[in-house]
Every structure is written in structure tokens, then in C-alpha cells.
Amino acid sequence: MTREAPGLLLVISGPSGVGKSVIAHAIEAKLGGAFSVSMTTRPQNPKKETDGVDYHFVDDAQFDAAIERGELLEWANVFGHRYGTPRGPVEQMIAAGRVVILEIDIEGGKQVRAARRDAMTLFILPREPEVLLNRLRERRRDDEATIRKRFAEAQREMAEGEACGVYDHFIVNDDLERAIDEVTDLIESRRARMASHP
Ligand code: 5GP
């Protein structure tokens, strides 16, 4: 006997520039997914970001209070600012049968893994590391020393992602459509298994 497709908590991690946002948005559109809106102490970019949509932008005291009240499913320091996932909306959306997408770093991934064994965790990798290096150069935002530092950080993250034992699947984003299809198939087969063994 099968039931309706059940809710699923989906963690997507990977180094910056690997294309995880594009994959996450495709999953949202294809599978009726829902993004969790994180809380962050990082400043808002008012030209590009809307409070409550892209992030909940808060100050340190508000972030501390959310931790204190146990309102965060996970949180971590990323590039000098704190980011966390509000627990309540995530649990409501899972209960409503949605695929809830968390685009979070490895530290957050570890905490979600520990808190929810039923989460599905994906790590996105580039075809080869140099793809990330080229992308950093194409942005023309940083000098060569900063680019090298960011690239070294991306390589460290990839090594940790593979070694930490948190991720169920490693997706190589060699071709975007193929990677999206692979993720879609993985989610659909996981949900089908959950539905037949509730
Ligand atoms: P950005 O400042 O560029 O929007 O995000 C920086 C990084 O923070 C992203 O690579 C993302 O993985 C991570 N991040 C965003 N939201 C969260 C969150 O709620 N928890 C954790 N642990 N990391 C997050």
C-alpha cells in the first residue's frame, strides 16, 4: 500500500560557485519544493535581497535569543557571520508533505544529520576543481591573492564534505540538466521508498 508522497528534508551543500542554488531552484520548481528562509546576522544587500524572503536579517541579540529559545534546527558561522535554520516553519512544511530545501554549509549539514536521521543530504561537486577557480576569476571581483584564498577554501570544503560522513549522495555538476535529473530521481525514489515503508 502506498500513501501520498511524504514530506522530505533536503540538505544541499557544496563549495561556492558550484551551482547549488540553480539546482535547488530547479528542484523547487519541479517537485513543488519549499525553501527554508534562514536567519542571518550578515548585512542585507538592499538592491538584491528582501528581508523575510531571501533571509531574515537580524542583529546579534536577536540571533542569540533564537538560539536560547531553541528555535534553530542548526546554525553556523560562515565567512564571519552567523546563519541558522528556523525549526518551526521547516517542521510545518515537512508535515504538509513538501520537499523542504536547506542550502547550508557543512557545519549545518552535520547538525541536521544528527538531529534528523530521515533528512536527505546532497553535496554538489564541480566536474574538476579548476571550474571553481575559473568562475572566481570570471566574477572579476577579487584580486589574485583573494581568488587563491577562496579557491583553497573551496578545496578544503570539498575534502571535508567527502570525509565527514554526513552526505548521502555526491552530485557532479558536469552538465546542469543532467545533474538536476539525477537529483530529481534520487528524491523521487527516496520518497517512493518512504511512502511504501512509512
Ligand atoms: P550568502 O551570504 O552568500 O547568502 O551565504 C553564504 C553561505 O552561507 C552559503 O554558502 C550557504 O551555504 C550558507 N548558509 C546560508 N544559510 C544558512 C543556514 O541557515 N545555515 C547554515 N549552516 N549555513 C547557511
Side-chain angles (χ1 to χ4, degrees):
M1 198 183 81
T2 58
R3 302 181 306 162
E4 292 281 295
L8 178 69
L9 184 57
L10 181 70
V11 171
I12 303 186
S13 303
S16 26
V18 79
K20 49 186 191 298
S21 281
V22 186
I23 293 174
H25 279 95
I27 295 307
E28 180 199 24
K30 279 176 92 165
L31 299 178
F35 274 98
S36 160
V37 181
S38 296
M39 182 179 282
T40 184
T41 59
R42 145 162 106 56
Q44 178 181 0
N45 176 345
K47 285 201 195 112
K48 287 197 190 152
E49 293 173 327
T50 310
D51 188 23
V53 175
D54 298 291
Y55 284 105
H56 300 288
F57 293 95
V58 298
D59 60 24
D60 274 316
Q62 289 169 306
F63 203 97
D64 287 339
I67 296 173
E68 194 106 318
R69 290 195 294 259
E71 287 169 6
L72 299 182
L73 175 60
E74 60 75 33
W75 70 272
N77 230 303
V78 187
F79 305 128
H81 297 288
R82 291 187 290 173
Y83 296 78
T85 304
R87 186 192 301 277
V90 165
E91 285 177 355
Q92 283 159 18
M93 292 188 291
I94 294 172
R98 310 285 296 274
V99 175
V100 181
I101 304 166
L102 308 186
E103 210 188 305
I104 61 176
D105 81 326
I106 297 175
E107 288 313 310
K110 288 178 186 168
Q111 294 169 44
V112 173
R113 174 87 294 159
R116 299 206 46 141
R117 286 304 311 166
D118 58 345
M120 181 169 176
T121 52
L122 307 181
F123 196 90
I124 315 294
L125 292 165
R127 178 171 38 82
E128 54 192 11
E130 284 64 32
V131 171
L132 301 180
L133 184 58
N134 292 339
R135 214 156 280 163
L136 287 167
R137 292 218 166 99
E138 282 160 14
R139 292 195 310 188
R140 296 177 184 280
R141 216 166 63 185
D142 306 307
D143 58 29
E144 185 62 22
T146 309
I147 288 174
R148 285 278 158 196
K149 217 171 89 192
R150 288 185 187 272
F151 182 53
E153 172 60 18
Q155 285 182 301
R156 191 200 61 74
E157 280 180 64
M158 289 189 280
E160 194 190 346
E162 289 182 272
C164 69
V166 159
Y167 292 94
D168 298 328
H169 304 283
F170 293 86
I171 314 297
V172 178
N173 186 13
D174 48 0
D175 172 276
L176 187 58
E177 288 312 314
R178 195 210 57 75
I180 291 167
D181 286 347
E182 183 180 350
V183 173
T184 306
D185 288 349
L186 286 168
I187 294 171
E188 284 181 339
S189 48
R190 168 74 75 100
R191 290 177 103 191
R193 278 202 307 279
M194 289 165 83
S196 57
H197 302 283

